[in-house]
């Protein structure tokens, strides 16, 4: 048996999935790891725990299937993006906890850069906005804060990477310091038009360029694993940030195709083809994937709170015991109530980009209870997706009859997906294969290894599980969306 090993290093857990030669899931292993919140708005991970869980789940899934390194044709890595690690070149040890993409500690740095007039240049080169979300200001913070870090960095003793780079470095025993174009495009330091690191921006952030990894295609030779780690040398052949990997896994290879992943946050990508589209609606311009040296671009909208709103129902309010209960509870909500939750728990992402906003609930009555809160939490995801949908279609200016392909944990909820279709006024397609993120990474590696088909062949394997179509009347849809927009503006105005 020939397998591809996909490493899916996410925000709350690490998974390893073995895909067989037919691109089907043969086995899975998963481990959660600790979330650290040192201060309000700060989120960190221990890089050693990320590494340990990665090795553990890889070994476990191999043991479960009695698979040896010789049975694995290649490894594909997909990862939480923007999360920042700085480590010592000689020891491989991080000099500070990883600063997670959700972390807001560098908001003041972003404000200073914006006030100094740098945002237009940064956006033109990177497609991104000056926001704490991205890696560049996180690296600057580490170098400015950790004793002796800047001197070591300037002496070439420290390396920076997103989580994929850190894992590649560790897996190859320090032989490879590399990333792919999709992850590089999220650092705030990569020129997505010229396909290289921007010295102007790295100098602006005081980040020495010798810290930065080599940027490769998403399907490329990233090095070979140290035989002692997984029992043999295995080539690492595919890498993509998690949202781009999901775009690939959904086979969104044609311009105008769009996918939305519903995990902790929600991330929608619209394939715009071989030319970057400059957003006029505060969407991000990014790289969807890069093959054979040619980038394919996308517009992206990022919502920080999606599944996390359901976790809030469970852990914060205690009104459900399991996330799956939220849809059942929402069904029992009073249709005469219009409770709206604006889940700005970590600020508002696209298209607002208001990092200092806080969440709020509107429309409460004496009869509002758990069912109404559950419905409001799930609908908040649909409303936020509508915000992205409208902004992307305005930027794209192409076909307006777009079908949305969905994945991620929340996509399993029929109630939520129907609500999404209703509030978008568009079809929502859920695939049979729910492991789209890991599948995207696996396909990159398997295609590079020569055991998986090309783009067209892979796209032909995509299968529909269910299509959700709008059942809400247009007048009701627009009235509901107008209520949402008023609620958001009230939150922004506080």
């Amino acid at each position: 048996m020939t397998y591809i090993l996909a490493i899916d290093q996410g925000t709350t857990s690490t998974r390893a999935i073995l895909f067989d030669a037919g691109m089907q899931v043969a086995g899975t292993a998963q481990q959660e790891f600790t979330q650290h919140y040192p201060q309000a708005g700060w989120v960190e991970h221990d890089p050693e725990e990320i590494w340990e869980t990665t090795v553990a789940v890889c070994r476990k899934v191999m043991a479960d299937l009695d698979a040896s390194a010789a049975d694995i044709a290649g490894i594909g890595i997909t990862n939480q993006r923007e999360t920042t690690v700085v480590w010592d070149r000689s020891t491989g040890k991080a000099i500070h906890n990883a600063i997670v993409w959700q972390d807001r500690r560098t908001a003041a740095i972003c404000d200073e850069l914006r006030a100094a007039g740098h945002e237009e240049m940064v956006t033109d080169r990177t497609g991104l906005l000056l926001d704490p979300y991205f890696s560049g200001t996180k690296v600057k913070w580490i170098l400015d804060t950790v004793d002796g870090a800047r001197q070591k960095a300037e002496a070439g003793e420290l390396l920076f990477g997103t989580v994929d780079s850190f894992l590649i470095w560790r897996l190859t025993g320090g032989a490879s310091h590399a990333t792919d174009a999709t992850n590089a495009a999220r650092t705030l330091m990569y020129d997505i038009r010229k396909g290289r690191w921007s010295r102007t921006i790295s100098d602006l952030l005081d980040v020495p360029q010798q810290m930065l990894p080599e940027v490769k295609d998403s399907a490329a030779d990233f090095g070979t694993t140290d035989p002692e780690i997984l029992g043999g040398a295995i080539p690492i052949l595919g890498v993509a940030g998690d949202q781009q990997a999901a775009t690939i896994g959904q086979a969104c290879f044609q311009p105008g195709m769009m996918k939305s992943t519903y995990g902790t946050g929600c991330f929608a990508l619209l394939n715009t083809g071989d030319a970057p589209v400059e957003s006029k609606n505060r969407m991000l311009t990014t790289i969807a994937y890069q093959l054979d040296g040619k980038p394919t671009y996308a517009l992206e909208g990022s919502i920080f709170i999606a599944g996390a709103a359901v976790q809030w129902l469970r852990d914060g309010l205690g009104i459900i015991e399991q996330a799956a209960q939220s849809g059942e509870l929402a069904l029992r909500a009073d249709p005469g109530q219009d409770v709206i939750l604006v889940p700005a728990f970590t600020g508002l992402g696209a298209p607002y980009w208001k990092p200092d906003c806080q969440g709020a609930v509107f429309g409460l009555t004496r009869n509002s209870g758990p069912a109404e809160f559950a419905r409001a939490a799930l609908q908040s995801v649909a409303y936020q997706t509508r915000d992205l949908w409208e902004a992307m279609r305005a930027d794209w200016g192409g076909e307006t009859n777009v079908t949305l392909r969905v994945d991620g944990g929340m996509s399993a909820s029929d109630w939520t997906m129907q609500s999404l279709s209703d509030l978008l006024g568009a079809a929502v397609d859920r695939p049979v294969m729910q492991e789209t993120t890991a599948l995207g990474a696996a396909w990159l590696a398997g295609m590079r290894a020569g055991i998986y088909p090309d783009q067209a062949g892979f796209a032909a394997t995509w299968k529909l599980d269910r299509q959700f179509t709008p059942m809400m009347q247009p007048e009701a849809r627009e009235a509901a969306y107008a209520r949402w927009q008023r609620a958001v503006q009230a939150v922004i105005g506080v």
Side-chain angles (χ1 to χ4, degrees):
M1 178 63 71
T2 299
Y3 296 108
I4 293 293
L5 174 60
I7 297 172
D8 182 355
Q9 204 300 299
T11 306
T12 59
S13 70
T14 306
R15 298 190 306 156
I17 301 177
L18 277 174
F19 287 86
D20 64 20
M23 295 186 290
Q24 298 301 304
V25 174
T28 303
Q30 181 171 1
Q31 277 191 24
E32 293 189 355
F33 55 88
T34 310
Q35 308 293 305
H36 299 274
Y37 305 101
Q39 294 183 29
W42 292 26
V43 189
E44 296 180 357
H45 294 155
D46 179 352
E48 289 305 311
E49 193 175 6
I50 288 176
W51 168 245
E52 289 162 6
T53 57
T54 299
V55 174
V57 294
C58 289
R59 289 175 174 170
K60 184 177 189 306
V61 75
M62 290 171 67
D64 288 348
L65 292 175
D66 195 25
S68 70
D71 298 319
I72 299 173
I75 293 173
I77 297 174
T78 183
N79 55 287
Q80 52 168 318
R81 304 173 306 171
E82 298 96 14
T83 295
T84 298
V85 188
V86 175
W87 67 93
D88 187 290
R89 181 190 290 271
S90 60
T91 67
K93 298 287 187 182
I95 65 168
H96 188 277
N97 270 351
I99 302 181
V100 180
W101 58 272
Q102 300 159 313
D103 190 283
R104 314 304 290 169
R105 77 186 64 184
T106 64
I109 297 173
C110 294
D111 289 344
E112 291 170 9
L113 292 168
R114 192 178 300 108
H118 295 300
E119 185 164 55
E120 184 177 352
M121 179 275 292
V122 170
T123 299
D124 180 63
R125 297 190 185 196
T126 69
L128 310 178
L129 301 169
L130 283 172
D131 189 87
Y133 179 23
F134 307 109
S135 311
T137 57
K138 301 181 196 297
V139 187
K140 175 177 171 57
W141 186 93
I142 291 173
L143 296 183
D144 287 345
T145 304
V146 177
D147 285 346
R150 184 160 297 287
Q151 291 80 3
K152 286 186 175 181
E154 290 171 353
E157 297 172 15
L158 298 182
L159 299 176
F160 151 72
T162 41
V163 171
D164 60 306
S165 294
F166 179 67
L167 292 180
I168 292 167
W169 177 266
R170 284 292 187 88
L171 286 166
T172 61
S176 177
H177 185 215
T179 189
D180 89 301
T182 71
N183 279 294
R186 313 300 297 189
T187 62
L188 204 70
M189 296 182 285
Y190 187 72
D191 190 323
I192 62 171
R193 300 171 190 275
K194 295 181 178 178
R196 65 188 186 209
W197 296 113
S198 169
R199 182 169 293 280
T200 301
I201 299 175
S202 62
D203 286 350
L204 182 66
L205 297 173
D206 295 324
V207 176
Q209 284 218 325
Q210 63 257 39
M211 294 181 70
L212 307 179
E214 179 185 359
V215 181
K216 296 175 177 273
D217 284 348
S218 302
D221 297 323
F222 290 90
T224 304
T225 62
D226 180 333
E228 293 186 7
I229 297 171
L230 299 177
I234 307 172
I236 303 168
L237 299 175
V239 175
D242 51 10
Q243 303 313 319
Q244 284 91 343
T247 304
I248 295 165
Q250 288 277 32
C252 290
F253 294 135
Q254 300 302 316
M257 296 184 75
M258 184 175 177
K259 76 91 201 176
S260 192
T261 298
Y262 296 95
T264 303
C266 163
F267 302 87
L269 270 78
L270 174 70
N271 184 324
T272 63
D274 58 6
V277 173
E278 183 178 341
S279 175
K280 296 178 175 59
N281 296 283
R282 296 181 69 77
M283 294 290 103
L284 305 176
T285 304
T286 194
I287 295 175
Y289 50 86
Q290 182 170 302
L291 300 172
D292 299 321
K294 298 175 182 177
T296 294
Y297 294 94
L299 284 168
E300 176 175 335
S302 306
I303 297 168
F304 298 146
I305 301 295
V310 178
Q311 293 172 337
W312 174 68
L313 295 178
R314 183 192 67 193
D315 304 334
L317 299 184
I319 63 175
I320 57 173
E321 293 181 357
Q322 297 177 343
Q325 296 171 322
S326 58
E328 302 165 18
L329 190 56
L331 272 171
R332 302 203 293 270
D334 178 0
Q337 294 192 50
D338 290 317
V339 177
I340 292 179
L341 167 67
V342 181
F345 304 149
T346 55
L348 283 172
Y352 308 104
W353 295 106
K354 298 291 185 181
D356 298 324
C357 277
Q358 295 181 321
V361 181
F362 296 86
L364 293 177
T365 71
R366 178 63 182 81
N367 294 325
S368 300
E372 287 70 36
F373 270 84
R375 183 180 63 186
L378 295 180
Q379 284 186 330
S380 74
V381 176
Y383 283 129
Q384 291 178 99
T385 305
R386 171 76 182 264
D387 287 339
L388 302 183
W389 175 265
E390 296 292 345
M392 282 185 178
R393 291 199 303 169
D395 284 337
W396 172 233
E399 174 60 52
T400 56
N401 187 27
V402 177
T403 297
L404 181 65
R405 290 185 172 180
V406 295
D407 54 74
M410 291 187 81
S411 69
S413 167
D414 288 355
W415 191 95
T416 307
M417 294 301 101
Q418 183 59 55
S419 176
L420 178 62
S421 177
D422 285 343
L423 289 168
L424 290 180
V428 172
D429 284 357
R430 183 174 65 196
V432 170
M433 170 62 79
Q434 285 292 292
E435 296 289 357
T436 53
T437 303
L439 176 62
W443 175 75
L444 288 169
M447 184 264 294
R448 180 75 178 180
I451 66 169
Y452 287 172
D454 62 10
Q455 280 188 37
F458 177 61
T461 68
W462 189 93
K463 290 185 175 61
L464 178 71
D465 168 51
R466 179 173 172 182
Q467 183 175 77
F468 298 86
T469 55
M471 298 174 65
M472 182 182 280
Q473 292 300 314
E475 297 82 3
R477 174 186 309 124
E478 296 313 311
Y481 186 53
R483 288 194 295 273
W484 162 259
Q485 290 178 304
R486 288 194 297 271
V488 170
Q489 291 307 315
V491 166
I492 291 173
V494 172

